[in-house]
Amino acid sequence: MTRRTLLIGAGAGVVGILLASCTPEPAPTPTPDRSPTPQPTAGSITPAAFARSSWATDSFALGAASFTPVGTQGSARDALAEPIDGRLFLAGEATDAEAPGTMAAAVRSGERAAGQLRRAADDGERVAIIGAGLAGATAAALLVADGLQVTVFEARDRIGGRIHSVVDEKAWPFPAQLGGWLIGASDVALLDELNRLDVRTATLAGSLWRSTDGDVDAVSTEPVQAAIAAAQQGLEDASVEDALTAAGADPAEPGLAALLASVAASSGADPASLSTWFPPSLPPDESTAPLGDLTPTIEGLLEGAKLSLSSPVSRVAYDESGVSLGIASGESLSFDRVLITVPLGVLKSEGLQFAPALPFGHRGAIADLGMGQIETIWLRFDDPLIAAAPETDDDADATADETGPAIWHVVGGDALIRTWYNLAPVTGENVVVGIVGGEAAEKFAALDDQKALEAAIDSLGPFLASSS
Ligand SMILES: Cc1cc2nc3c(=O)[nH]c(=O)nc-3n(C[C@H](O)[C@H](O)[C@H](O)COP(=O)(O)OP(=O)(O)OC[C@H]3O[C@@H](n4cnc5c(N)ncnc54)[C@H](O)[C@@H]3O)c2cc1C
């Protein structure tokens, strides 16, 4: 079915007149995630393949993950999740107070919002979901199972949102993941689903901390945890940076700075911005990395729903009788209820217009919560970087305990990317993944491909040097 026939099929009914005068608006386009041809770098080492994300400029994300800025109450997320007039429902990682900015949060939020909507709806109602990311797809599966007529509008020409597996067998032995990727041990539902779909995974564990002078002692997260715990006793929220300073630590000390860079790479924000009352998760000792395409997971959840790709919603008009959606192409379509899962960055930019405006509680939450920046770069080399990779058995999940540290931390110097995952020990492939967050991610995002590649190779310097 083409997009047009699908939309016409979905459009009959409830409050179509609300947007009768809606004028067509040009659809914004996301900046494509790039898999450019690697060019020789100034440092003479050239990868065989590289891919990088550009979430900062992607108009359907406008950032990577929500975070709680210092001074903001965690209850802002509950305020954002509050249903509006029984017609509008909100999901997405930013509405989850437990572990915002994660895939688990997206799943949980989709389950919560689907439950809220289901309780408000009569059997067989027509429901729209805006966004075919993990939150929207999770909700779609539940609502379809309950017999509602579900249409999912997705702005991009692909599903998955901030989960993006780049499948290119010529460049990559397994898909390069440019968005959500690593799964914590507590994300049992996601791990079960990957197992069910036979997606190969690897456990990434063990860390190597290195400066240009050689290996340095591993930096423990305990002092950071202690500083956060002490700051939580205060009458006012303090930033993670201020908490560390108050505890006598120097956040600029190279080892601690490398640890804080990895916190920024998972939270999207720097320690000066992060709340201690509602602190980010500190990097776990180990996580699970899917080595397969994540798209089928989302596809499976969307089964039974009508899916309309390349359909950015630009306007949501609601009253007591229903909801009307304005699609950027100029069409307007009516539904009984709508579930909105667009990223916080899109809500902040007012990329979606509401009529009437959202209640103050929602607008306050959107203004107060932060949208963090995370970018990722995947590099594949023809030769091992620092050590020959051991043979692995494709059928069995390997663990880094047997094969060497998977997480590299770059200590000192002026590296832009300080956190790297070395996939060679667990896959036998010379693939490394750099993850950068906060202000460094903004700088990285602003570089052209050649400069980004050079910055990545420069950042890897301490690890490359020791191979010679
Ligand atoms: C670089 C990076 C690394 C990450 N690493 C991890 C990790 O290791 N582990 C982890 O757990 N999480 C990680 N995350 C976070 C995780 O990917 C997200 O929390 C999760 O995927 C968000 O899902 P969502 O459904 O809430 O939002 P999204 O996936 O963003 O879905 C929202 C959807 O809405 C669509 N949309 C936007 N505007 C419109 C519109 N106007 N009309 C119609 N559709 C619209 C978007 O295109 C998108 O498909 C990472 C994120 C990034 C960016």
Side-chain angles (χ1 to χ4, degrees), residues 338-350:
V338 171
L339 200 164
I340 298 152
T341 75
V342 303
L344 179 68
V346 173
L347 293 172
K348 275 181 170 295
S349 74
E350 301 186 58

Side-chain angles (χ1 to χ4, degrees), residues 38-369:
Q39 302 297 318
T41 62
S44 80
I45 176 161
T46 307
F50 96 100
R52 65 183 288 208
S53 65
S54 50
W55 299 105
T57 53
D58 180 324
S59 42
F60 301 126
L62 294 174
S66 71
F67 70 95
T68 311
V70 58
T72 300
Q73 294 294 316
S75 55
R77 296 184 189 276
D78 298 331
L80 187 59
E82 203 51 40
I84 300 163
D85 296 345
R87 294 286 162 194
L88 304 190
F89 299 81
L90 288 106
E93 55 81 11
T95 64
D96 181 76
E98 199 177 318
T102 64
M103 295 185 284
V107 170
R108 222 170 6 245
S109 75
E111 290 170 349
R112 187 250 321 135
Q116 290 171 328
L117 191 153
R118 187 64 193 96
R119 284 190 290 282
D122 290 327
D123 288 348
E125 278 191 0
R126 291 159 28 79
V127 170
I129 296 179
I130 308 178
L134 195 49
T138 299
L142 293 168
L143 295 173
V144 165
D146 275 349
L148 300 187
Q149 301 176 55
V150 179
T151 304
V152 180
F153 294 94
E154 169 53 52
R156 303 171 197 273
D157 60 2
R158 64 168 181 86
I159 59 173
R162 280 172 280 168
I163 293 176
H164 187 193
S165 304
V166 176
V167 180
D168 177 353
E169 279 162 20
K170 284 196 189 127
W172 303 104
F174 37 81
Q177 309 289 350
L178 297 185
W181 178 41
L182 301 175
I183 300 174
S186 59
D187 299 345
V188 181
L190 276 175
L191 288 169
D192 284 353
E193 183 60 11
L194 293 177
N195 280 339
R196 196 182 66 76
L197 291 170
D198 274 340
V199 176
R200 186 180 159 216
T201 60
T203 302
L204 302 183
S207 57
L208 191 55
W209 299 72
R210 185 171 285 183
S211 74
T212 44
D213 296 330
D215 289 351
V216 299
D217 288 343
V219 181
S220 165
T221 56
E222 271 169 32
V224 181
Q225 271 162 343
I228 289 175
Q232 285 178 339
Q233 305 307 312
L235 265 183
E236 280 182 26
D237 193 9
S239 71
V240 170
E241 183 174 85
D242 287 347
L244 284 164
T245 309
D250 176 5
E253 184 277 317
L256 183 53
L259 175 65
L260 294 173
S262 72
V263 175
S266 62
S267 66
D270 293 309
S273 309
L274 289 165
S275 162
T276 46
W277 279 5
F278 304 97
S281 309
L282 298 182
D285 291 337
E286 69 172 50
S287 45
T288 300
L291 296 176
D293 184 0
L294 295 175
T295 313
T297 314
I298 314 273
E299 254 162 21
L301 292 167
L302 289 168
E303 249 170 55
K306 287 179 189 165
L307 173 64
S308 186
L309 292 175
S310 305
S311 300
V313 176
S314 54
R315 196 172 140 93
V316 178
Y318 59 103
D319 65 12
E320 69 283 351
S321 59
V323 187
S324 182
L325 299 185
I327 315 297
S329 61
E331 290 152 300
S332 81
L333 302 163
S334 303
F335 295 89
D336 295 305
R337 291 162 221 284
V338 171
L339 200 164
I340 298 152
T341 75
V342 303
L344 179 68
V346 173
L347 293 172
K348 275 181 170 295
S349 74
E350 301 186 58
L352 204 52
Q353 300 285 319
F354 291 90
L358 291 176
F360 288 130
H362 292 77
R363 280 184 273 158
I366 291 166
D368 288 350
L369 292 169

